Amino acid sequence: MSMRQYMEILFKFILKVNQMIKGYLRVKVSLRGTNSSLVISRLLLNNISLEQVICKEETTFMIRYTDLAALRKAVRRSGVKVSLSKEGENHKILEFTKMNIPSIAAFLLSAFIFFQAFQYIWAVEMTGPNPEIRDEALEILEEKGIKPGVHHSNLSLNQQSASVLYKEIDQLSWIGYERTGSKLKVTLREKDSLHNKKSDQQAHLVASKTGTIHTLSVSSGTPLVKRGDVVKKGEILVSGYIGREGYEKGIRADGSVKALTWYTVSVSMPVKNKIKKITGQTHSKYALQFRSFTTPFISYKKSPFKNQIRQISDQPLSVLGFHLPFKLVEKEYKEISESEMDFSEEDYKNVLKKIAEKDVLSFTEGSGQILEEKILHEDIENGKVKLTIFYEVLENIAATKPFTEETRE
């Protein structure tokens, strides 16, 4: 955002504050003349609010500062003389505001710039085990726009483009971002030698589940089963020993062994279901937290939602990269609407089948393939639709198991 845009926003803000002050102020009006009652009648006909009306030798009343223009119209051609009182706190406030407009504008501009500073990143902290990698990563991120002075709204896009770090720096295994106030923390993690150590570890491939062997793809080791064999959980599928008898050598067996496995899943759902949707309307409350002490939550309006969900988040406060001992705590309320679903029997089946399929695939860590499904039982009981479904699944059941002399056979 440019300085010109800042000034435009600030000018509009000052005008709005000025209107609020004028709407709050009251002016004491004195009317002298025989047609004072006519002036009051004209004001009342125009829905102008009058307070503390006193009719004696002269008529006095209180009127809003913003209604003075209407007062001028009402007095025209009436022969009534009007005087405005300059006494009272209202006029002192108004006079003070007029005399100190430059100071107030400077204060508001400083406050605006101060709070806008929180919308930018002013420090990038890089953590990692290797100084050379940190320096190289910092240069790449700066080329991608992740550097001090970048706006928060542009930061998310640049973080996505920062995946180039994985291509440019082979030693990296993980990159983490954490924004704390005006500071961005980038955590780098190098590839370690654990994988290489594991690859040298002698091990068998054993069955993680009971099933019928379908296909084998072995890159190292000695296969002990073939297509069509029924294996039990824990049975050795590929031995980690190679070589002729008496001269075996232990290695790490590796490969894939796919087998047919079977699952029976029972799922249910109420006949009458309510769908909850977020309408998009939100309402927030804010508080400051200092260690274990939290101020009361402040809201500018009461929550109008009958049905809502609540989310609590906190954000540390910092200025120019220096952390303050406070946190801004936000309670965000989101309005939700409820509506009943009207499903047919076939719709219930389709929904329950999708739920059951997800359950089955979760058993295979998402790598399985459903070959056959069959509904074994269908019933409506206690207001719920229940299905029991049989599945035949093709999945990899090979699991690595380091072996000892006792598992050699």
Side-chain angles (χ1 to χ4, degrees), residues 189-233:
R189 186 176 298 170
E190 284 187 279
K191 296 178 182 178
D192 52 31
S193 58
L194 291 178
H195 179 74
N196 295 330
K197 291 180 180 179
K198 287 183 178 179
S199 63
D200 296 335
Q201 189 178 21
Q202 299 174 350
H204 297 304
L205 289 183
V206 300
S208 61
K209 301 173 184 178
T210 299
T212 301
I213 303 300
H214 185 270
T215 54
L216 289 90
S217 176
V218 180
S219 57
S220 60
T222 304
L224 300 183
V225 295
K226 62 183 182 299
R227 179 183 175 90
D229 288 350
V230 178
V231 295
K232 296 181 179 179
K233 180 178 179 180

Side-chain angles (χ1 to χ4, degrees), residues 63-109:
I63 190 173
R64 286 195 298 264
Y65 184 87
T66 52
D67 293 333
L68 289 180
L71 175 63
R72 294 189 190 97
K73 293 180 180 180
V75 173
R76 287 176 185 173
R77 299 178 182 178
S78 64
V80 176
K81 295 183 179 180
V82 181
S83 62
L84 304 180
S85 173
K86 296 184 179 180
E87 299 177 357
E89 294 296 326
N90 289 335
H91 285 282
K92 291 181 180 179
I93 295 174
L94 183 60
E95 291 298 327
F96 175 83
T97 304
K98 289 183 177 179
M99 293 175 60
N100 295 276
I101 284 180
S103 300
I104 295 174
F107 171 76
L108 293 176
L109 178 61

Side-chain angles (χ1 to χ4, degrees), residues 111-285:
F112 185 77
I113 295 175
F114 175 78
F115 286 109
Q116 280 295 320
F118 287 101
Q119 304 300 318
Y120 290 84
I121 292 297
W122 299 112
V124 178
E125 179 181 320
M126 187 80 65
T127 59
N130 193 319
E132 290 78 11
I133 292 179
R134 291 201 301 267
D135 294 339
E136 184 179 357
L138 190 59
E139 291 180 2
I140 295 174
L141 291 180
E142 287 182 354
E143 292 177 359
K144 293 298 178 180
I146 302 180
K147 56 185 178 180
V150 65
H151 195 272
H152 290 172
S153 60
N154 299 326
L155 185 62
S156 59
L157 298 176
N158 288 331
Q159 285 183 3
Q160 294 175 5
S161 64
S163 58
V164 71
L165 288 177
Y166 291 111
K167 298 179 181 179
E168 298 291 337
I169 306 176
D170 295 334
Q171 297 93 324
L172 292 181
S173 64
W174 183 80
I175 304 172
Y177 297 93
E178 181 183 0
R179 181 170 61 84
T180 305
S182 298
K183 178 186 289 186
L184 177 66
K185 293 183 178 180
V186 183
T187 304
L188 306 177
R189 186 176 298 170
E190 284 187 279
K191 296 178 182 178
D192 52 31
S193 58
L194 291 178
H195 179 74
N196 295 330
K197 291 180 180 179
K198 287 183 178 179
S199 63
D200 296 335
Q201 189 178 21
Q202 299 174 350
H204 297 304
L205 289 183
V206 300
S208 61
K209 301 173 184 178
T210 299
T212 301
I213 303 300
H214 185 270
T215 54
L216 289 90
S217 176
V218 180
S219 57
S220 60
T222 304
L224 300 183
V225 295
K226 62 183 182 299
R227 179 183 175 90
D229 288 350
V230 178
V231 295
K232 296 181 179 179
K233 180 178 179 180
E235 185 175 339
I236 298 177
L237 305 176
V238 180
S239 173
Y241 287 103
I242 59 174
R244 61 178 180 169
E245 186 176 356
Y247 297 92
E248 296 95 338
K249 177 184 177 182
I251 63 170
R252 181 183 179 85
D254 193 14
S256 171
V257 181
K258 292 188 177 181
L260 300 177
T261 55
W262 310 274
Y263 299 91
T264 300
V265 180
S266 296
V267 289
S268 64
M269 66 182 297
V271 176
K272 293 184 179 180
N273 285 279
K274 289 187 177 181
I275 299 179
K276 293 184 178 181
K277 295 182 179 179
I278 297 177
T279 64
Q281 299 294 325
T282 61
H283 169 71
S284 297
K285 296 181 179 180

Side-chain angles (χ1 to χ4, degrees), residues 33-63:
T34 56
N35 291 329
S36 297
S37 58
L38 175 61
V39 174
I40 293 178
S41 299
R42 289 177 179 177
L43 293 173
L44 295 177
L45 287 174
N46 291 326
N47 296 321
I48 303 300
S49 177
L50 305 179
E51 300 175 3
Q52 303 177 19
V53 179
I54 301 175
C55 297
K56 291 183 179 179
E57 295 180 358
E58 62 179 13
T59 303
T60 61
F61 55 86
M62 302 294 293
I63 190 173

Side-chain angles (χ1 to χ4, degrees), residues 169-395:
I169 306 176
D170 295 334
Q171 297 93 324
L172 292 181
S173 64
W174 183 80
I175 304 172
Y177 297 93
E178 181 183 0
R179 181 170 61 84
T180 305
S182 298
K183 178 186 289 186
L184 177 66
K185 293 183 178 180
V186 183
T187 304
L188 306 177
R189 186 176 298 170
E190 284 187 279
K191 296 178 182 178
D192 52 31
S193 58
L194 291 178
H195 179 74
N196 295 330
K197 291 180 180 179
K198 287 183 178 179
S199 63
D200 296 335
Q201 189 178 21
Q202 299 174 350
H204 297 304
L205 289 183
V206 300
S208 61
K209 301 173 184 178
T210 299
T212 301
I213 303 300
H214 185 270
T215 54
L216 289 90
S217 176
V218 180
S219 57
S220 60
T222 304
L224 300 183
V225 295
K226 62 183 182 299
R227 179 183 175 90
D229 288 350
V230 178
V231 295
K232 296 181 179 179
K233 180 178 179 180
E235 185 175 339
I236 298 177
L237 305 176
V238 180
S239 173
Y241 287 103
I242 59 174
R244 61 178 180 169
E245 186 176 356
Y247 297 92
E248 296 95 338
K249 177 184 177 182
I251 63 170
R252 181 183 179 85
D254 193 14
S256 171
V257 181
K258 292 188 177 181
L260 300 177
T261 55
W262 310 274
Y263 299 91
T264 300
V265 180
S266 296
V267 289
S268 64
M269 66 182 297
V271 176
K272 293 184 179 180
N273 285 279
K274 289 187 177 181
I275 299 179
K276 293 184 178 181
K277 295 182 179 179
I278 297 177
T279 64
Q281 299 294 325
T282 61
H283 169 71
S284 297
K285 296 181 179 180
Y286 301 92
L288 285 177
Q289 182 179 0
F290 176 72
R291 295 181 180 177
S292 61
F293 173 76
T294 304
T295 64
F297 282 86
I298 299 175
S299 175
Y300 296 104
K301 61 180 181 179
K302 294 183 179 179
S303 175
F305 310 139
K306 292 183 179 179
N307 298 317
Q308 61 188 14
I309 57 175
R310 186 184 70 178
Q311 294 180 343
I312 301 178
S313 61
D314 60 76
Q315 180 179 352
L317 299 179
S318 63
V319 179
L320 303 178
F322 296 97
H323 295 282
L324 300 177
F326 301 99
K327 288 184 178 180
L328 180 64
V329 184
E330 178 185 5
K331 285 185 179 180
E332 184 179 20
Y333 298 87
K334 297 182 179 181
E335 183 183 27
I336 58 174
S337 61
E338 293 184 352
S339 60
E340 290 190 358
M341 293 188 301
D342 187 13
F343 281 178
S344 64
E345 183 177 349
E346 191 64 26
D347 291 334
Y348 279 112
K349 282 186 181 180
N350 292 333
V351 173
L352 290 174
K353 286 169 67 175
K354 290 181 180 179
I355 295 174
E357 287 177 4
K358 290 183 178 180
D359 289 344
V360 170
L361 293 178
S362 68
F363 300 150
T364 67
E365 297 180 355
S367 61
Q369 178 184 358
I370 296 176
L371 301 180
E372 181 184 352
E373 69 175 26
K374 182 178 180 181
I375 297 178
L376 301 179
H377 183 70
E378 178 182 353
D379 191 16
I380 298 178
E381 183 180 352
N382 298 327
K384 291 186 177 181
V385 180
K386 297 182 178 180
L387 287 183
T388 302
I389 308 175
F390 167 81
Y391 288 96
E392 183 178 66
V393 181
L394 179 63
E395 61 176 306

